Amino acid sequence: MPQLSQIGEIYASQLFWLAIVFALIYFGIGKAMVPKIESTIEDRNGRIAGDIAAAEAARDAALTSERDYQAGLESARSKATVALGEAKARAIAGTEAKLKASDSALAAQLDAATSRIDASKVQALAEIETNTVEAVEQIVAKLSGVAVDRATIETQVKAELAHG
């Protein structure tokens, strides 16, 4: 076979070109591409480290903001509690003042009504006494035909009304 007989003649030249191609590939990749890949990896690692540092800084800032927010919230709650207590105290004081004023007004109205009732009672008793004296005077005059002294009748009616 002629192809096999040529192997010895072209084998050395093929090995030579194979060595040259492998050397070019080795030096091309090793000297040209590997440094680019290494710099890309280093850049990527640097960016990752920077991003991690930025994320940690952002997390620390967020935690600080949250602590400040919680402190502000607690401060606002305590202020609101104090304000609520003061408002309740003012409302209670105002209500108590209104109740005292109302009680005073009601007591005055009650005293005035009691005075009017007492005056009406005295007036009614006086009218009852007068009407009773007149009725007794008329009854005695009709039944017995005798005119009795009005002062005597008034004394008797007052005595009877006082007992009964």
Side-chain angles (χ1 to χ4, degrees):
M1 265 182 89
Q3 294 94 0
L4 295 178
S5 62
Q6 291 178 354
I7 286 180
E9 296 171 8
I10 57 170
Y11 185 68
S13 72
Q14 285 182 350
L15 285 177
F16 172 74
W17 286 111
L18 179 67
I20 290 178
V21 169
F22 276 131
L24 287 175
I25 290 174
Y26 175 76
F27 286 113
I29 290 177
K31 298 296 182 186
M33 295 180 83
V34 169
K36 288 181 183 177
I37 292 171
E38 286 177 349
S39 68
T40 303
I41 289 173
E42 288 174 9
D43 288 345
R44 176 178 273 171
N45 287 339
R47 272 188 268 138
I48 288 172
D51 289 347
I52 288 173
E56 287 176 355
R59 183 187 68 200
D60 291 342
L63 290 174
T64 302
S65 294
E66 182 181 2
R67 277 189 229 112
D68 293 344
Y69 171 75
Q70 291 298 331
L73 189 61
E74 287 300 319
S75 174
R77 282 183 183 149
S78 66
K79 286 178 183 177
T81 302
V82 168
L84 181 63
E86 290 173 356
K88 281 183 181 179
R90 284 194 305 269
I92 288 171
T95 303
E96 286 177 354
K98 288 179 183 177
L99 283 174
K100 286 179 182 177
S102 176
D103 287 346
S104 300
L106 288 175
Q109 287 177 352
L110 181 64
D111 290 342
T114 303
S115 298
R116 286 193 308 268
I117 289 171
D118 289 342
S120 295
K121 186 177 176 182
V122 168
Q123 182 182 359
L125 287 175
E127 288 178 8
I128 289 173
E129 188 177 315
T130 303
N131 289 337
T132 305
V133 169
E134 289 175 4
V136 168
E137 189 178 20
Q138 289 174 2
I139 291 172
V140 169
K142 274 192 179 184
L143 290 178
S144 66
V146 178
V148 182
D149 182 29
R150 186 170 180 91
T152 306
I153 294 174
E154 285 177 2
T155 305
Q156 281 298 105
V157 167
K158 283 182 185 179
E160 285 300 320
L161 289 177
H163 290 327

